[in-house]
Amino acid sequence: MPQKQRKILVTSALPYANGSIHMGHLVEYLQTDIWVRFQKLRGHTCTYVCASDAHGTPIMLKARELGISPEELTERVSAEFVRDFSDFDIEFDNFHSTHSPENEALVTDIYEKLRENGDIYTRTIEQSYDEKEGMFLPDRFVRGTCPICKSADQYGDACEVCGATYSPEDLIDPVSVLSGTPPVKRDSEHYFFKLSEYTDRLRNWMDSAALDRNMLAKLEEWFETGLQDWDISRDAPYFGFKIPGTEDKYFYVWLDAPVGYMASFKNLCARDASLDFDDYWKAGSDTELYHFIGKDIMYFHTLFWPAVLKGSGYRTPTSVFAHGFLTVNGQKMSKARGTFINGRAYLDHLNPNHLRYYYAAKLGPTIDDIDLNLEDFIARVNSDLVGKLVNIASRCAGFISKRFDGQLSATLDDRALFAAFSDSADPIAEHYENREYSKAMRMIMTLADSANRYIDEYKPWLMIKDEGKSDAVQSVCTQGLNMFRSLMIYLSPVIPGVAAEARAFLNESGWTWNDAAEPLLNTRINKFKPLLTRVETSQVDAMVEQSKSSLTKKVEAAPVTPDNSISIDDFMKVDLRIARIEKAETVDGADKLVALTLDVGDETRNVFAGIKAAYDPATLIGRHVIVVANLAPRKMRFGVSEGMVLAAGPGGEDIFLLSPDEGAKPGMRVK
């Protein structure tokens, strides 16, 4: 039964135009590109647009540092984006920029409609201001000592050591990162969007958007906290679009950045008469709209963005797909270890199809993080792509070329076996559709194993020595090449470069998904050329070394200075107590936290501890631990934490709770 043709518009989050594409970024763009290529292979009209996110204070300051205009910087970086994406076989239908006339016209239109609806108001707020530089400072341009854990050199919105969130004014000894001088407070009139009035409308959208359960849990958490109105303006100097009717106010980058999806598509529509902007963006449109994003920007894409679209009369996304972060060798990407790898460093040494396959073999539809383990990368690529997939063709093609003048037989040797390959089309397609790429890769490689077993069973290299079995060799090798062809069609969204070479070898001009179910018979193919070579450890080592040497400055451990040391008197203020864990539960929406109820002798305390990866909560009840009892309560998204449980270890599964001596009782002080 033929599928109904769909009209789909797909976007990836816009890369910020002040740095290069790295391996973490590529998780998203490869995930999206695979899905788009699959939809096109199925015969749907699927359009993939993206753009450079070109506005904001960081870009303005980076351009100033380089002695060029922000426009020149973003054009230069955008050109690099286009080059690197193309070399990874990421195929946008259009790649544009948020600093464009289309984007300015659209964001102005949206703003005016929201204002007419009464969704925009002004309010005077107090902000950090750098008197030396003459500008207001974003939170991340203020650094100082964390007010919670007293760690030095932390951002103005969150501490990277203890994870606390706060405002810049809460920092101890704050300074501007631009001038190194203490910021002052100044009043400024800002423009706000009434997000708080969109709760019901957003809930209705959630019901139809089929969001991942982890995203829904996070949204519920935000709804419970209460939606806050959104500051959509920034003060001059600022690189962006000026708010109509003002002299020194600009649209905040996070307002015009998602509008960049619309602007890029509008730019494409002007060149492609088959596409109509209103068909895809008008309210009530029956086309499909999907955003692929990282889990760190869910707030903007699942609250602000659909609310802004709904309030301004445009359609909302069909759904938003979020992915997790990338770790390398099980750890956060590190410049010092050479595992903070930009895309160009990879391309200088390795085939992009290798990475595309490895990511696909790891990716699912959830926001779980994925790991690029470099040893596993080498082993899996060599085993699956070279040892299983390409091996099928290389073991059969030579006999067809040399003995049968490149002519495939008119029949298959084993129709039932080929049926197993053709019958897999629908379940593999379902996995692709649901972004369960890892499941699709497992199915495909299971089929590859069966193809190799078939070739091993018949051994055409031995059959060819028997003149009486010549026709059988042609039939067996035709069978093998048709199984290879079906696998390549299934894998073409993932490894398009290899698929294109395989298609040329098989003398075909193009493929559709349904072609995998129909064998290629009684036709002439071209001489086989090696499609892929093995990944060598030396290539990966060279990539890592290049990444290390690209550091602009040596990464060193922070020295112990009076700013981050404490006196014995400070240490004596810490009240360490024995506590008994009365209750331990996981925290919905939190990846690492366990909620503990502690008996500290004369009272109970509720404490959130980041030990989920190391301990099953059920095993903790009744255990004695050491707690910092006089730590100031810390308000978190999940509640208030009234202390800190002491633990040691590098993190993840290697966290070890510190236990008191046997016989210790709740409330006892630790000396």
Side-chain angles (χ1 to χ4, degrees), residues 306-364:
V308 163
L309 287 169
K310 190 168 283 291
S312 55
Y314 290 100
R315 58 90 48 82
T316 49
T318 307
S319 194
V320 176
F321 302 142
H323 60 81
F325 298 137
L326 178 76
T327 56
V328 179
N329 293 336
Q331 297 179 316
K332 185 177 179 180
M333 288 189 295
S334 163
K335 292 182 178 179
R337 289 189 294 268
T339 54
F340 192 96
I341 303 165
N342 68 36
R344 185 49 51 182
Y346 177 94
L347 291 166
D348 285 345
H349 300 281
L350 292 158
N351 188 318
N353 290 278
H354 293 157
L355 187 71
R356 291 179 66 103
Y357 176 76
Y358 189 78
Y359 278 0
K362 293 270 188 171
L363 277 166

Side-chain angles (χ1 to χ4, degrees), residues 548-566:
K548 287 180 181 178
S549 64
S550 68
L551 289 173
T552 56
K553 60 182 180 179
K554 187 177 179 182
V555 179
E556 298 177 342
V560 177
T561 69
D563 290 334
N564 59 14
S565 61
I566 62 173

Side-chain angles (χ1 to χ4, degrees), residues 257-560:
V259 178
Y261 302 142
M262 305 171 72
S264 183
F265 185 68
K266 195 171 187 68
N267 176 263
L268 177 62
C269 290
R271 305 192 312 274
D272 186 344
S274 69
L275 296 171
D276 182 82
F277 182 81
D278 288 339
D279 280 352
Y280 286 82
W281 287 102
K282 67 182 178 182
S285 170
D286 61 357
T287 61
E288 300 172 52
L289 171 63
Y290 299 100
H291 299 306
F292 284 74
I293 62 167
K295 65 182 179 181
D296 55 327
I297 54 175
M298 288 194 304
Y299 199 93
F300 295 101
H301 283 80
T302 58
L303 293 176
F304 297 146
W305 180 230
V308 163
L309 287 169
K310 190 168 283 291
S312 55
Y314 290 100
R315 58 90 48 82
T316 49
T318 307
S319 194
V320 176
F321 302 142
H323 60 81
F325 298 137
L326 178 76
T327 56
V328 179
N329 293 336
Q331 297 179 316
K332 185 177 179 180
M333 288 189 295
S334 163
K335 292 182 178 179
R337 289 189 294 268
T339 54
F340 192 96
I341 303 165
N342 68 36
R344 185 49 51 182
Y346 177 94
L347 291 166
D348 285 345
H349 300 281
L350 292 158
N351 188 318
N353 290 278
H354 293 157
L355 187 71
R356 291 179 66 103
Y357 176 76
Y358 189 78
Y359 278 0
K362 293 270 188 171
L363 277 166
T366 70
I367 60 174
D368 293 337
D369 296 345
I370 69 168
D371 183 52
L372 169 58
N373 181 285
L374 296 176
E375 288 187 4
D376 180 55
F377 167 75
I378 296 169
R380 183 172 298 205
V381 167
N382 289 342
S383 171
D384 290 0
L385 293 186
V386 181
K388 294 182 182 179
L389 179 69
V390 174
N391 194 42
I392 300 169
S394 64
R395 297 168 90 188
C396 297
F399 300 113
I400 296 292
S401 295
K402 293 175 183 177
R403 292 297 184 98
F404 306 101
D405 194 27
Q407 186 76 17
L408 296 177
S409 67
T411 59
L412 291 175
D413 175 69
D414 190 335
R415 277 276 179 181
L417 177 58
F418 183 77
F421 282 67
S422 60
D423 291 346
S424 297
D426 285 345
I428 292 173
E430 185 176 357
H431 289 324
Y432 272 122
E433 179 68 40
N434 296 328
R435 306 177 322 285
E436 294 177 322
Y437 301 161
S438 61
K439 291 183 179 180
M441 297 308 102
R442 285 197 293 273
M443 280 197 70
I444 291 168
M445 287 304 150
T446 298
L447 291 171
D449 286 335
S450 67
N452 278 296
R453 283 195 298 271
Y454 169 85
I455 296 167
D456 285 339
E457 178 184 349
Y458 281 93
K459 297 179 176 56
W461 52 91
L462 295 181
M463 292 173 64
I464 201 70
K465 297 177 181 179
D466 186 339
E467 290 295 331
K469 295 182 178 179
S470 178
D471 290 344
V473 170
Q474 186 184 26
S475 181
V476 165
C477 290
T478 296
Q479 173 88 28
L481 289 175
N482 269 281
M483 292 187 290
F484 167 75
R485 174 177 174 268
S486 294
L487 296 176
M488 284 308 316
I489 292 172
Y490 295 148
L491 280 169
S492 60
V494 177
I495 49 174
V498 180
E501 292 184 27
R503 196 165 56 246
F505 151 62
L506 293 168
N507 204 22
E508 295 185 271
S509 59
W511 282 334
T512 69
W513 187 261
N514 293 334
D515 287 336
E518 296 296 328
L520 185 68
L521 300 171
N522 199 29
T523 189
R524 182 167 276 102
I525 62 173
N526 294 314
K527 187 176 180 180
F528 179 77
K529 298 177 182 177
L531 299 176
L532 277 175
T533 56
R534 291 173 56 85
V535 179
E536 301 298 336
T537 302
S538 59
Q539 294 172 285
V540 173
D541 290 344
M543 176 186 69
V544 170
E545 286 305 311
Q546 180 175 322
S547 298
K548 287 180 181 178
S549 64
S550 68
L551 289 173
T552 56
K553 60 182 180 179
K554 187 177 179 182
V555 179
E556 298 177 342
V560 177

